[in-house]
Amino acid sequence: MSRVDLLESITASPDYRTLTTHLFLLILWSPNDHDSSDEEVPESFEEEFFYRAAWLVGETSPLLANALRKKLDIYKLEAGSLAAHHEYFRAIAHGLAKDDSVRPMLLEMLLQSLEADGSYEGTRPCPEELIQVIAGISQQSGGRSYYDPLSANGRLLAELVSNSSSSAWGLGQSSADEDILHGLLRAFFQHDSLTFEKADALKSPPNDGVGLQSFDVVVSDLSESADVWATELGAGDPFGRFKYGIAPKGKGEWPLIQHMLACMRKDQGVAIAVVDLAALLRAGKEAEIRRAIMQNNLLDAVVYLPAKLYRSDARSLAILVFKSSRQSSSVLLIDASKQYTSEKSLNTLTAEGIQQIQKHYSRREPVEGNAVLLSIADLEATGFALNPGRYFSARADEGLHDLDALSREHEYLKLELWQVGGQIDELLSRLAEKVAP
């Protein structure tokens, strides 16, 4: 039985969502983990089997085993006996016994199914197309150590590590129980190459007791991180991570980006962050932080993405690429905001759009309407603005017939006007302070 057939047999049961812990353990469990006297497929799948399976998981991953045991206890209290599901578990076990190699991919397929159907209680999963873009950029760095300070369900980090060299490894951090569980499940079959910690990255960064741990590639989707920042963390930070400025309370993108910059290797380190486009447009302290980072020649590229890449989220996003040791002082801007297909309330980056992003990033050349290369002098002349509407506009051949393009351009202009208005307000405030008696 193929892994697709197995997944269909698993999800055919109306109870499969309430039995996910048992299904995880059934997939993680293998006859090879048992004594030679044990049968290949057990006759009974009562509570004892699953607690035994959790104990065996604990030999590889104690944290994962503890999390699974807690969920087994909860199911036992809420639902009681497993007798009604005995044949269901047995059919799945027989399917797995026919081909033991399908277990890792079956687990991944089940996790993706659970994360996509709206029942997942953790952080929203990063879209596959966005993962492909990030992977293509990170692979050009040739790194082998990866770190994700907001690893969510672990899929982004797991795919980057698994598609890198055989010696690659990664560390993920998250403060959400469900995210850590899924991250640990993804790490189980990769043994020592992936580690996930339940931790707030800003409060408990990876360190050796003296300094921060550094990585070849630091990567994260920060598009849901706007409310995680408390300013008091910045003033007394023992690692000096926020040297470019302290962002206002609740605006978490630039504190997390500064954390990522501090954790990338000083030589050939790369940081890749997905952010809400508004993080590139807001005035005040955040504008000062952006300016300082660019003046220190850390920003390498910006990729402007379509809106609605996440369901029920109409915001436009952008990918920021930073490098610790750059050969050039220019910044590459890539417009991929029109490279999508639309279905109801969700937009998806096209395969052609993904290829174009990779090509533009690799070649690093200006392409009319698609890519702009700006020197530090160019950026300084625009006040270090990263407004896409300043550098890209609707294509000429779209004319007045593409209402979506016109609407996007209108939004860009409104955001740019908002930013300029904020800068004027701040200048007037400073002037008032100087002339006050």
Side-chain angles (χ1 to χ4, degrees):
M1 186 181 293
S2 72
R3 59 177 180 266
V4 175
D5 293 333
L6 272 168
L7 181 65
E8 289 179 351
S9 68
I10 288 172
T11 56
S13 169
D15 299 316
Y16 88 94
R17 289 184 185 86
T18 62
L19 295 170
T20 52
T21 306
H22 304 84
L23 294 171
F24 292 152
L25 284 165
L26 199 54
I27 295 171
L28 300 181
W29 171 85
S30 172
N32 297 329
D33 295 330
H34 290 253
D35 297 332
S36 58
S37 58
D38 288 345
E39 297 181 20
E40 186 173 346
V41 176
E43 288 297 322
S44 175
F45 289 92
E46 300 298 338
E47 291 173 5
E48 291 76 12
F49 167 82
F50 292 102
Y51 280 101
R52 167 69 176 171
W55 181 84
L56 290 168
V57 167
E59 294 184 336
T60 300
S61 177
L63 286 176
L64 175 57
N66 287 336
L68 292 170
R69 275 193 290 264
K70 288 178 182 177
K71 286 188 169 289
L72 288 177
D73 292 340
I74 292 171
Y75 181 89
K76 183 178 178 181
L77 288 172
E78 293 180 347
S81 173
L82 291 171
H85 309 293
H86 175 84
E87 292 304 321
Y88 173 60
F89 292 140
R90 186 168 178 78
I92 295 169
H94 271 292
L96 288 168
K98 292 178 182 178
D99 186 357
D100 199 57
S101 66
V102 304
R103 294 176 187 272
M105 189 54 68
L106 176 62
L107 176 65
E108 179 58 38
M109 291 172 67
L110 178 57
L111 289 174
Q112 290 187 29
S113 175
L114 291 166
E115 292 160 1
D117 68 2
S119 63
Y120 185 57
E121 297 178 357
T123 307
R124 63 187 187 185
C126 191
E128 173 61 29
E129 296 75 21
L130 201 48
I131 292 177
Q132 290 179 33
V133 174
I134 295 170
I137 294 172
S138 70
Q139 284 169 2
Q140 294 188 38
S141 71
R144 57 177 295 271
S145 60
Y146 294 79
Y147 168 50
D148 187 343
L150 287 179
S151 59
N153 58 18
R155 186 181 174 197
L156 171 59
L157 184 64
E159 292 211 19
L160 293 180
V161 171
S162 63
N163 291 320
S164 188
S165 66
S166 58
S167 60
W169 59 277
L171 168 66
Q173 289 185 311
S174 177
S175 57
D177 288 335
E178 200 71 8
D179 290 342
I180 286 297
L181 172 61
H182 280 222
L184 291 170
L185 284 165
R186 287 188 159 98
F188 184 82
F189 288 109
Q190 298 192 40
H191 305 293
D192 297 330
S193 64
L194 274 178
T195 303
F196 289 91
E197 298 176 350
K198 184 180 180 183
D200 182 324
L202 292 177
K203 295 178 181 178
S204 304
N207 66 90
D208 58 8
V210 178
L212 291 172
Q213 191 172 351
S214 61
F215 303 84
D216 296 325
V217 180
V218 184
V219 58
S220 203
D221 180 356
L222 309 182
S223 60
E224 272 196 314
S225 66
D227 60 350
V228 302
W229 172 243
T231 54
E232 57 268 20
L233 290 175
D237 180 53
F239 302 104
R241 288 173 290 171
F242 311 109
K243 60 185 178 181
Y244 300 113
I246 307 298
K249 183 177 181 180
K251 304 299 183 183
E253 294 98 333
W254 290 102
L256 281 162
I257 287 172
Q258 291 191 77
H259 166 71
M260 294 171 69
L261 297 179
C263 289
M264 68 178 180
R265 277 179 49 185
K266 303 308 177 187
D267 58 323
Q268 306 303 319
V270 176
I272 306 169
V274 180
V275 299
D276 178 3
L277 182 60
L280 306 184
L281 308 175
R282 289 192 290 263
K285 286 291 184 182
E286 290 177 282
E288 293 176 9
I289 294 170
R290 292 195 304 269
R291 184 183 299 112
I293 289 174
M294 285 187 272
Q295 287 174 332
N296 279 272
N297 199 29
L298 292 172
L299 181 63
D300 186 61
V302 181
V303 181
Y304 299 105
L305 299 169
K308 302 179 184 178
L309 289 181
Y310 287 96
R311 200 173 297 280
S312 301
D313 187 344
R315 297 176 302 164
S316 295
L317 305 180
I319 297 174
L320 305 181
V321 184
F322 304 90
K323 288 187 175 181
S324 58
S325 179
R326 302 210 306 137
Q327 303 301 315
S328 167
S329 60
S330 61
V331 176
L332 176 68
L333 307 183
I334 301 171
D335 183 18
S337 63
K338 305 175 187 71
Q339 303 292 334
Y340 67 89
T341 57
S342 185
E343 180 183 353
K344 295 182 180 179
S345 62
L346 185 68
N347 292 336
T348 303
L349 278 167
T350 62
E352 180 184 0
I354 294 170
Q355 291 175 357
Q356 283 193 7
I357 293 171
Q358 313 293 10
K359 181 176 70 174
H360 293 322
Y361 183 76
S362 177
R363 293 183 178 178
R364 205 172 181 81
E365 298 173 349
V367 178
E368 185 176 356
N370 292 299
V372 174
L373 200 59
L374 300 173
S375 67
I376 290 294
D378 294 331
L379 287 166
E380 190 170 9
T382 63
F384 292 93
L386 292 175
N387 311 43
R390 184 182 289 270
Y391 307 105
F392 302 101
S393 60
R395 294 174 181 171
D397 59 356
E398 288 175 343
L400 297 176
H401 300 287
D402 190 342
L403 295 179
D404 284 341
L406 287 173
S407 177
R408 286 194 299 273
E409 183 68 12
H410 182 220
E411 289 301 315
Y412 289 156
L413 291 173
K414 284 198 302 182
L415 287 168
E416 187 170 357
L417 180 62
W418 175 43
Q419 183 190 40
V420 171
Q423 292 171 344
I424 292 173
D425 289 342
E426 187 172 352
L427 289 172
L428 288 174
S429 177
R430 292 178 181 176
L431 181 61
E433 289 177 1
K434 290 182 178 180
V435 301

